[in-house]
Amino acid sequence: MNTETVRAAYRDGSLTPVDVLEQTLTRIDEVNDSINAIVFRDDVNALAQAEASTARWKAGTPLSVLDGVPVSVKDSVRAAGMPWRHGTLPNRGLDADTVDSPPAARLREAGAVIFGKCAMPDFGMLGAGVSSLYGIVRNPWNLAMNTGGSSAGAGASLAAGIGSMSVGSDIAGSVRLPAAHCGLAALKPTQGRIPHLAPSTTRSAGPLARSVREVAELFSVISGPDARDLLSLPGGPLTPEPVDTSDRTVAGLRIGLILDMGYGYGVHPEVEAVVRAAARTLQDAGAVVTEVPPVFSADPWPALDRLFQVRALAEWLPYDGQGRSEVLPQITDWCAAASGLAAADHENDLNAVAASAAHFASVVDSFDLIVSPVIPGLGFAAGMVGLSQDSPLEHCSFTCWFNQSGQPAATVGFGMSHGVPVGVQVGGPRFADLRVLAVAEWLESRRPAPFDWPTVPRDLPALTPDLYAAGYGDATVTANPATANPATANPATAGDTQRS
């Protein structure tokens, strides 16, 4: 049920928040062994939250549109009474948090029922659902396929019908990538619009749900400022209004169509066809669509990749020898290259990335909105850490620069191919969050066919590597086959759902 239906049932008394929580926990029991998405259940506290919400609805005094709605949070979002593990095995013994991070605090204040935590990869440094602690998260559309990451468990759980919404986090595409792999909607907001800890110029919390309208509702609750995030933007929470699905919503908008970043993996023709269909839908309604030349004339990725390596290395180094050996080997091997960098090298990389981000921002700012792919192909096998084992975030080329520029970008599912969803990214200038959401919701209303959600996870053969990206499997990329990284380390942790 969508949240509008749930609220109607709460109002007329045909359902209570306790009923919906019980349904949610039952759903976890039914499907989580297959998808390995929910890694901590807070049954006792969730029941207390649901009972309090039930009393408010009976009294006619709900706190918000999310009162009594079941919501999960990513492992990286600190929530009182729940453990923070950051997806990595060496953190398995850490105590539960005692304080809510800003997104969790806003959810509790709104009366939402936080029922559990979702799986993520080590340090959040993969655009894939593979973790040394949690094992492999599987896509319910096709259990042999990846969910994307790093908000991997959020993507899988929502696609399979667990809960209504989830809060993830995004540093290179980590809410938008799982949304694309799993057919969901998601938003990486203007940097600072959703406060998060630790404060960051590039990493943001972000909402995921099955529909853009539900993403907008979650955004309206968690987008207010929080003094603990020194970079959070002033002003109250933003409340996106329901979208007029007529042509008036998009008529006259100047929209840039990006199909080539100038580097990285090429867009698969079947993904390109879906993105072009979205652009034509906008153009037919009166938008002015212009195809953008390749965004970068020189490859900006190596400098940004090194910044990510340094970030991962900084989290890896404090572990003792045993802890270091327990981190996902592909993360360890990838970030090891940063150990030889000098401080001056890092400063040069920061400056290079800043220049690339400014260039990207100027391209986006020349339009009202940007439409592009989210991922270059139709996904990849469940055990892979990305299209490249040596540079596991490299396939994030269409998403990562919105983080560096601080500009908002949303994902909306717009098509299907070979049994998996295909997402479209809608981005825009800074502070254009409401416009981005409105056009994403408008596109969703014009989706060529409704999604047949995988309420029973589908055990199907994996897609062949030729569908992963244009040219994948050619001589230039055969070093990274589809069988890379079976992620068999610590299999006993996969699907280990804890109950408080």
Side-chain angles (χ1 to χ4, degrees):
M1 290 185 293
N2 61 34
T3 53
E4 183 178 358
T5 303
V6 167
R7 284 191 296 272
Y10 290 170
R11 282 192 294 268
D12 67 23
S14 58
L15 282 175
T16 71
V18 171
D19 296 330
V20 173
L21 173 63
E22 290 174 350
Q23 292 173 5
T24 301
L25 299 180
T26 297
R27 187 77 184 132
I28 295 173
D29 291 337
E30 291 171 346
V31 302
N32 200 54
D33 284 349
S34 297
I35 60 176
N36 190 32
I38 303 298
V39 295
F40 184 85
R41 281 172 54 167
D42 198 13
D43 293 20
V44 174
N45 289 326
L47 178 58
Q49 295 167 45
E51 289 172 340
S53 178
T54 296
R56 289 191 294 270
W57 278 102
K58 286 182 178 178
T61 57
L63 297 174
S64 76
V65 293
L66 296 192
D67 203 334
V69 172
V71 180
S72 59
V73 296
K74 187 177 178 179
D75 180 17
S76 61
V77 177
R78 293 185 182 271
M82 299 187 192
W84 178 95
R85 302 286 186 254
H86 222 207
T88 194
L89 188 61
N91 291 340
R92 61 191 176 278
L94 296 180
D95 293 336
D97 283 310
T98 58
V99 176
D100 286 327
S101 64
R106 299 297 88 78
L107 288 173
R108 294 196 204 275
E109 292 162 4
V113 177
I114 306 176
F115 64 85
K117 281 205 160 186
C118 299
M120 63 178 288
D122 295 57
F123 310 158
M125 285 281 97
L126 295 179
V130 182
S131 160
S132 63
L133 177 59
Y134 303 127
I136 299 172
V137 186
R138 296 185 178 274
N139 193 329
W141 291 94
N142 181 336
L143 293 172
M145 296 299 291
N146 214 288
T147 57
S150 60
S151 303
S157 61
L158 290 168
I162 297 175
S164 297
M165 304 167 174
S166 191
V167 177
S169 59
D170 191 313
I171 195 172
S174 289
V175 299
R176 290 160 289 157
L177 298 167
H181 283 266
C182 298
L184 307 172
L187 174 70
K188 195 292 292 183
T190 294
Q191 191 62 32
R193 182 58 70 196
I194 298 177
H196 194 31
L197 299 178
S200 172
T201 59
T202 57
R203 182 182 63 111
S204 175
L208 301 92
R210 281 192 177 189
S211 72
V212 179
R213 175 56 15 204
E214 290 167 312
V215 164
E217 289 177 357
L218 183 49
F219 179 64
S220 73
V221 166
I222 64 175
S223 60
D226 189 303
R228 294 174 293 169
D229 182 347
L230 303 180
L231 301 177
S232 65
L233 295 173
L238 298 186
T239 304
E241 296 296 329
V243 167
D244 177 357
T245 57
S246 74
D247 292 355
R248 289 191 299 271
T249 296
V250 302
L253 289 178
R254 298 170 299 116
I255 294 178
L257 173 62
I258 294 179
L259 293 166
D260 189 344
M261 292 296 291
Y263 77 100
Y265 293 97
V267 179
H268 193 278
E270 297 196 33
V271 172
E272 180 177 339
V274 172
V275 177
R276 286 192 181 277
R280 281 196 305 274
T281 301
L282 290 161
Q283 184 167 305
D284 290 346
V288 179
V289 178
T290 303
E291 187 163 343
V292 179
V295 174
F296 292 103
S297 58
D299 188 352
W301 178 249
L304 181 56
D305 194 41
R306 286 191 294 270
L307 294 190
F308 288 141
Q309 288 174 319
V310 169
R311 184 185 182 94
L313 184 67
E315 194 161 348
W316 182 86
L317 283 172
Y319 296 128
D320 61 17
Q322 178 180 340
R324 291 178 180 181
S325 70
E326 291 174 342
V327 174
L328 194 72
Q330 291 81 358
I331 293 287
T332 296
D333 293 345
W334 167 65
C335 73
S339 61
L341 294 175
D345 297 325
H346 186 57
E347 178 67 16
N348 288 335
D349 284 338
L350 286 169
N351 291 335
V353 168
S356 296
H359 170 68
F360 179 78
S362 70
V363 172
V364 175
D365 286 345
S366 62
F367 298 95
D368 296 316
L369 289 173
I370 291 290
V371 171
S372 79
V374 183
I375 53 177
L378 299 181
F380 45 89
M384 293 174 66
V385 297
L387 293 185
S388 168
Q389 183 165 285
D390 300 325
S391 180
L393 292 171
E394 189 173 354
H395 68 280
C396 305
S397 55
F398 286 98
T399 54
C400 67
W401 293 103
F402 281 102
N403 298 82
Q404 298 302 316
S405 68
Q407 296 166 311
T411 294
V412 58
F414 197 73
M416 295 286 299
S417 182
H418 294 266
V420 296
V422 180
V424 171
Q425 182 170 235
V426 179
R430 289 185 72 209
F431 313 120
D433 304 69
L434 297 185
R435 185 191 309 150
V436 165
L437 283 170
V439 172
E441 187 172 357
W442 185 91
L443 276 173
E444 185 180 62
S445 75
R446 304 291 180 99
R447 188 156 60 198
F451 283 172
D452 177 21
W453 293 99
T455 51
V456 176
R458 296 166 187 169
D459 192 2
L460 302 170
L463 302 187
T464 55
D466 62 292
L467 299 173
Y468 295 174
Y472 189 84
D474 290 349
T476 55
V477 290
T478 50
N480 305 299
T483 55
N485 183 30
T488 54
N490 307 299
T493 63
D496 180 20
T497 301
Q498 305 176 66
R499 293 170 172 81
S500 64

